[in-house]
Amino acid sequence: MARVVVVGAGLGGLAAAARLATAGHAVTVLEQAPEVGGKLGWFARDGHGFDTGPSLVTLPQVFRDLFAATGAPLDDVLDFVRLDPAVDYRFADGTGLSVPGHLDGVRAALGPEWSALLDRAAEIWRVTEQPFLRSPLQGARTLARLARSVDDVRTVAPWSSLRGMGAAYLTDPHLRMLLDRYATYSGSDPRRAPAALATVPWVEQAFGSWYVRGGLRRLALAVADRAVERGAEIRTSTPVTRVLVEGGRTTGVQLADGERVPADVVVVNADATALYDRLLPRDAPVRRARATLARATPSSSGFVLLLALRGRTPDLAHHTVLFPDDYDAEFDGLFTDPRPLADPTVYISAPDDPATRPDDGESWFVLVNAPRHEPGRGVDWDAPGLADAYADRVLAVLARRGLDVRDRVRWREVRTPADLARATGSVGGSIYGTSSNGARAAFLRPANASPLPGLHLVGGSAHPGGGLPLVALSAEIVAGLVGPA
Ligand SMILES: Cc1cc2nc3c(=O)[nH]c(=O)nc-3n(C[C@H](O)[C@H](O)[C@H](O)COP(=O)(O)OP(=O)(O)OC[C@H]3O[C@@H](n4cnc5c(N)ncnc54)[C@H](O)[C@@H]3O)c2cc1C
């Protein structure tokens, strides 16, 4: 039995804790915030409740595996609801596209070109799921696993971008836009992200878009409960300031109040950049890992508006996306010349769930992509007046695109990239750690086993990447690396 310390109670930290406790280890989770969940946050007031982070669950099988492996089936504790339609898209020319929640319906609604793209994406998924997403990142060995045959390499086409894939398969500009959007699921630019990201619409459309009744935050709470049931201890309001290194390995962590918590294994769920830049001593033997991370482009962030609205909107889907006219301007504003986007894509999640709204109202989670918080170099989201002025702009964009709710706003809450950085410790408010920009990006992401013996990384800023299912997979990989007690 090892003494395991997990730094951070985001989904990755909690899932790792549940798995490692089940494996027989003595697990302590140390979380700096007063509550568990990290980006899976919740805000409630006056009968309105909002998920402040994720609003969409994909790959539910990953969560079924997690719950089954740690004691009891997921359905005993959570109610996963498959959304149909999955998303209601509206384009700048006034046309709309409602994407069904089941694969047959998607093929029928989106047509033969999209279907052909999905078939190719399914092949990429077959080639990459096990050797890449479900395995530790091991440099040349990972590449060898991925490139078992020339056919496999041709399928994945590591030389081509998601945008290039769209151009090859799709003639309809609306469908190209829709495909591009999936790059943003990892905070990336479709012009630079690899074609392999076509697996994202594949898994969403083949295995469904899901909601957790009562709010997605319940997923974090259920995993925390599971970890505790299996014997883990969770300490909140307990920031870790140092990962201790002695004799060439980690020996535990130090807390903000000076307390030292000894450990044989330290699993860090905090942002990998924060780990390598701040938590580890400068002379820790991790030079190469640090340098690799420094070469990666961080993922983009998000500007969130929580709207408590009076009244109900006729025919409002659970998820609505309002596209702009010029999608490239969005990616330029996120990565090339960072600035708050003047005419952003607007995403609305409005669950029709009594747990999230009063009878006479709606609770809208509105998200637009935003460049990271980088005072001095990029956008300073703490600049006086910016957050409120930008919230007004987002409401005006909504109005221009046919959803004018300005006279229905009871109150609003704004969360900028700077707020996200403060709340969860994600550096600059990057939502997904490093982005997928560039053919080598997946290999620049920090590995789950750090070069320092005893130190592991779990969560969206480590392999295999951000988003709830990948984060849960990273916990499975880490539990496998640590092994049974
Ligand atoms: C606005 C938004 C929308 C999103 N939408 C979706 C979506 O629809 N679907 C989806 O799948 N994903 C979505 N995501 C991404 C998803 O939320 C994340 O990938 C996932 O929740 C990250 O989990 P994690 O384990 O990496 O940890 P995080 O949630 O980042 O948690 C890390 C934890 O570590 C703690 N911590 C940090 N530093 C320290 C320290 N020094 N000491 C102690 N504790 C520390 C933090 O407080 C935090 O609790 C979204 C994220 C955001 C912000």
Side-chain angles (χ1 to χ4, degrees):
M1 180 176 81
R3 292 167 306 171
V4 179
V5 160
V6 179
V7 181
L11 181 70
L14 294 169
R19 283 184 177 275
L20 289 167
T22 304
H25 298 292
V27 180
T28 306
V29 182
L30 305 170
E31 166 57 50
Q32 54 103 18
E35 297 194 38
V36 301
K39 297 188 178 87
L40 268 162
W42 181 255
F43 182 83
R45 196 204 298 169
D46 307 334
H48 293 270
F50 302 83
D51 279 310
T52 58
S55 52
L56 166 71
V57 182
T58 54
L59 276 176
Q61 189 56 41
V62 169
F63 302 99
R64 295 195 188 287
D65 290 350
L66 169 65
F67 281 86
T70 54
L74 175 131
D75 295 327
D76 285 7
V77 280
L78 291 170
D79 188 3
F80 269 39
V81 183
R82 190 165 183 160
L83 299 176
D84 195 4
V87 197
D88 193 359
Y89 287 102
R90 303 191 194 173
F91 298 93
D93 62 7
T95 57
L97 177 62
S98 176
V99 176
H102 293 268
L103 188 57
D104 291 350
V106 172
R107 288 186 188 278
L110 273 59
E113 291 185 352
W114 186 265
S115 272
L117 177 91
L118 285 181
D119 292 341
R120 170 73 177 276
E123 278 299 294
I124 302 176
W125 179 249
R126 182 187 59 74
V127 172
T128 54
E129 182 192 0
Q130 190 56 47
F132 185 72
L133 293 178
R134 289 182 178 270
S135 306
L137 193 59
Q138 293 167 314
R141 275 166 68 187
T142 301
L143 271 176
R145 281 198 306 261
L146 276 170
R148 273 169 312 195
S149 75
V150 176
D151 278 353
D152 282 359
V153 176
R154 220 177 271 136
T155 299
V156 178
W159 51 83
S160 94
S161 67
L162 187 66
R163 173 67 63 83
M165 179 84 127
Y169 279 82
L170 308 167
T171 50
D172 178 348
H174 291 162
L175 292 184
R176 286 187 177 181
M177 221 167 185
L178 201 140
L179 181 65
D180 272 357
R181 176 170 176 261
Y182 286 97
T184 68
Y185 279 36
S186 60
S188 308
D189 181 339
R191 301 169 298 186
R192 297 176 60 207
L197 285 195
T199 50
V200 183
W202 164 251
V203 300
E204 180 175 302
Q205 296 178 347
F207 311 122
S209 295
W210 298 79
Y211 173 65
V212 180
R213 206 179 295 284
L216 269 65
R217 164 145 180 91
R218 290 199 179 176
L219 178 58
L221 299 180
V223 180
D225 285 349
R226 187 54 58 87
V228 171
E229 281 160 23
R230 303 313 306 240
E233 184 196 358
I234 301 179
R235 293 171 62 184
T236 51
S237 302
T238 307
V240 168
T241 50
R242 242 314 161 248
V243 171
L244 302 171
V245 181
E246 279 166 56
R249 60 167 297 118
T250 179
T251 53
V253 300
Q254 182 163 327
L255 307 182
D257 64 5
E259 180 188 341
R260 287 178 164 225
V261 184
D264 309 303
V265 172
V266 174
V267 177
V268 173
N269 181 220
D271 191 290
T273 302
L275 167 68
Y276 281 116
D277 287 357
R278 297 179 206 153
L279 294 181
L280 278 167
R282 273 328 297 169
D283 59 356
V286 294
R287 258 199 28 236
R288 252 181 83 188
R290 245 184 208 137
T292 307
L293 182 55
R295 294 213 310 274
T297 313
S299 65
S300 56
S301 187
F303 181 91
V304 172
L305 202 48
L306 308 177
L307 297 178
L309 299 182
R310 272 182 291 273
R312 307 296 289 275
T313 314
D315 303 323
L316 185 68
H318 191 114
H319 294 150
T320 305
V321 172
L322 309 172
F323 276 122
D325 187 33
D326 180 0
Y327 210 8
D328 278 353
E330 177 145 343
F331 300 108
D332 290 342
L334 293 176
F335 297 105
T336 319
D337 173 20
R339 56 187 183 271
L341 305 175
D343 195 30
T345 304
V346 184
Y347 167 83
I348 303 156
S349 180
D352 188 13
D353 177 347
T356 67
R357 54 157 178 76
D359 288 343
D360 60 345
E362 286 171 352
S363 304
W364 285 19
F365 166 89
V366 177
L367 172 67
V368 303
N369 292 319
R372 309 164 70 233
H373 175 57
E374 280 188 299
R377 295 178 56 199
V379 179
D380 177 358
W381 283 103
D382 283 335
L386 176 59
D388 255 348
Y390 195 62
D392 289 340
R393 173 172 277 274
V394 173
L395 284 168
V397 170
L398 270 170
R400 237 182 18 246
R401 301 203 191 136
L403 283 172
D404 191 351
V405 292
R406 287 173 292 193
D407 61 354
R408 291 174 51 200
V409 177
R410 266 191 191 125
W411 48 262
R412 73 186 195 193
E413 266 282 311
V414 176
R415 303 284 166 98
T416 69
D419 295 326
L420 182 65
R422 276 186 286 271
T424 68
S426 71
V427 177
S430 275
I431 291 184
Y432 302 98
T434 58
S435 75
S436 302
N437 290 351
R440 298 175 55 232
F443 297 91
L444 298 179
R445 206 166 269 134
N448 306 106
S450 89
L452 191 70
L455 178 64
H456 295 81
L457 284 78
V458 73
S461 58
H463 175 75
L468 301 172
L470 297 194
V471 163
L473 286 179
S474 79
E476 190 175 345
I477 294 172
V478 166
L481 288 168
V482 174

